[in-house]
Amino acid sequence: MQRLSLAIPLMCLASLVHAQTPRALPDNREPILVSKAERNLVLAEMREFLHGLHNIHYSLARKDMKGVSIMAKPMGPLLERLPGSLKEKLPEGFTELAIAQNEAFQSLARLAENGSDVAPALEQTAEILTYCSGCHDTYRFDVPLAPKPRR
Ligand code: HEC
């Protein structure tokens, strides 16, 4: 009996530890090979996207449609902000998603300029987010490791 009373908490502890051990999830995203500097550049653009969405949400909450349009317009054209040498490395699917996302940002800007209510503008913002997550589910940036120097 005493052994059993010890066994149960031990089993619970074991399952808790098991639940907290990170499982090795497969990464099925397509790698895009870039240099470290290129990766830094594109990730900085990405963080700007997040800042921009944050500001758009604040403007929507305040029904400030002018603010929405001012924020949304320049956010779209990601590709225009990247150097040609980097654009050449991007797969067609990536480029298409970036172009479609830009159009979704421009539609949001137009809605806001035309005095839209908050709900349709919010729906359009959700549409933009489908491009963020669609691309994140599909691609990752990889910096190839430099070959080890021979001794
Ligand atoms: C066309 C493809 C594409 C689109 C569209 C896209 N992203 Fe990304 N984003 C990426 C890739 C690729 C990475 C790097 C993922 C990796 O290497 O693990 C990334 C990384 C990020 C990161 C991490 C930055 C860091 O410093 O590590 C953030 C934040 C981010 N994206 C936000 C966004 C937001 C918000 C949107 C939508 C407004 C968006 N992205 C749209 C491709 C995209």
Side-chain angles (χ1 to χ4, degrees), residues 27 29-30 32 39-40 42-51 53 75 78-79 93-99 101 105 128-136 138-142:
D27 186 349
R29 295 171 302 166
E30 184 182 324
I32 304 173
R39 183 168 184 269
N40 281 346
V42 85
L43 290 182
E45 286 291 341
M46 291 293 156
R47 294 192 294 275
E48 284 305 311
F49 274 150
L50 207 50
H51 286 307
L53 278 181
M75 273 175 72
L78 165 72
L79 293 171
F94 184 103
T95 305
E96 279 168 8
L97 278 169
I99 291 171
Q101 180 180 262
F105 270 118
I128 292 169
L129 280 166
T130 61
Y131 292 106
C132 315
S133 42
C135 197
H136 295 157
T138 316
Y139 300 102
R140 67 168 196 264
F141 291 112
D142 267 3

Side-chain angles (χ1 to χ4, degrees), residues 48-62 64 67-68 71 75:
E48 284 305 311
F49 274 150
L50 207 50
H51 286 307
L53 278 181
H54 177 225
N55 289 332
I56 286 174
H57 274 102
Y58 262 127
S59 299
L60 283 171
R62 286 194 230 102
D64 170 12
V68 172
M71 286 312 305
M75 273 175 72

Side-chain angles (χ1 to χ4, degrees), residues 2 7 9 14 36 51 58 63 72 82 84 88 95 102 135 137 141:
Q2 211 186 353
K36 202 169 177 201
H51 286 307
Y58 262 127
K63 298 194 168 82
L82 301 180
E88 278 170 17
T95 305
N102 178 30
C135 197
D137 287 343
F141 291 112

